[in-house]
Each structure stands twice: as C-alpha cells, then as structure tokens.
Amino acid sequence: MKATIKVQGAQLTVAEGDIVFVNRFKGSNAGDVVEIKDVLMAGEGADVKFGSPVIEGAVVKAKILENKRGDKVVIIKKKRRQGYERRQGHRQELSVLKIESIKA
C-alpha cells in the first residue's frame, strides 16, 4: 500500500518499508515511533482514497532510525570589482525515518 503524506512541510509518497529523510523532529531520539496523521492519499489501484485535504482516521507510523546533519551547502556572495566576498555554510538537521505501517 502506498500513501502520500505531509510531514515537516514536505509532501512525500511512501510505501511500507521505505526509508526517507525529513527535517528533524524536535525532541525526538533514535528509536522513537512517530505517527503522521496528515495523509493526503492512500491505497493502490482501484482501492485509492483521496482526502480533502486529509483522510480522516488515516495514520502512517514511522520509526526514527537516526537524527543526523545533511551535507554542507556553501553560500557565496560576491560583488565584482568591489572587493566584497562572503562565504557562509549551512548543514540541515535531518531525521531518517523508516515507514512501518500505513493504516487508511
């Protein structure tokens, strides 16, 4: 069974057993189970349910495998012929989720 969920500001289409990267859940640790109730679509083939905007009573359970930081993104600002150049780095805080069950 597949489901389209809204989690941490992003929409993802997931199936049971998938591993996905999302923005970090505050106050969460590795091994915690998260219930995602913003399920926009669930099912496969002729047995598909669509929500408006979400399906009532639908829940996707995911286990947090680890919390980590993403790859570094370097931001460079430069104005030519002015001697102005700035560099700044950023690493996004991420949670790695494994989808355990989809109930619609």
Side-chain angles (χ1 to χ4, degrees):
M1 174 182 269
K2 290 187 177 185
T4 301
I5 58 174
K6 183 176 180 184
V7 57
Q8 301 295 77
Q11 290 183 12
L12 303 168
T13 299
V14 295
E16 292 182 11
D18 284 356
I19 295 177
V20 294
F21 296 90
V22 297
N23 291 336
R24 183 175 288 182
F25 287 92
K26 289 189 177 183
S28 66
N29 296 316
D32 292 350
V33 176
V34 178
E35 287 188 355
I36 302 165
K37 296 182 180 178
D38 291 336
V39 180
L40 307 174
M41 188 262 325
E44 282 187 298
D47 187 33
V48 176
K49 295 180 185 176
F50 292 97
S52 60
V54 296
I55 300 172
E56 296 297 325
V59 174
V60 174
K61 290 187 180 180
K63 183 176 181 180
I64 298 177
L65 299 179
E66 67 175 319
N67 289 324
K68 66 178 200 170
R69 298 179 78 190
D71 295 334
K72 180 175 261 191
V73 177
V74 178
I75 298 99
I76 300 173
K77 296 180 180 181
K78 181 178 171 123
K79 294 185 180 178
R80 64 184 199 170
R81 296 189 296 269
Q82 304 299 316
Y84 175 82
E85 185 173 326
R86 298 287 179 264
R87 297 176 79 109
Q88 182 180 8
H90 175 76
R91 291 183 72 185
Q92 186 69 36
E93 302 281 331
L94 300 173
S95 289
V96 181
L97 301 178
K98 180 174 183 179
I99 307 300
E100 292 185 334
S101 67
I102 299 171
K103 190 187 313 180

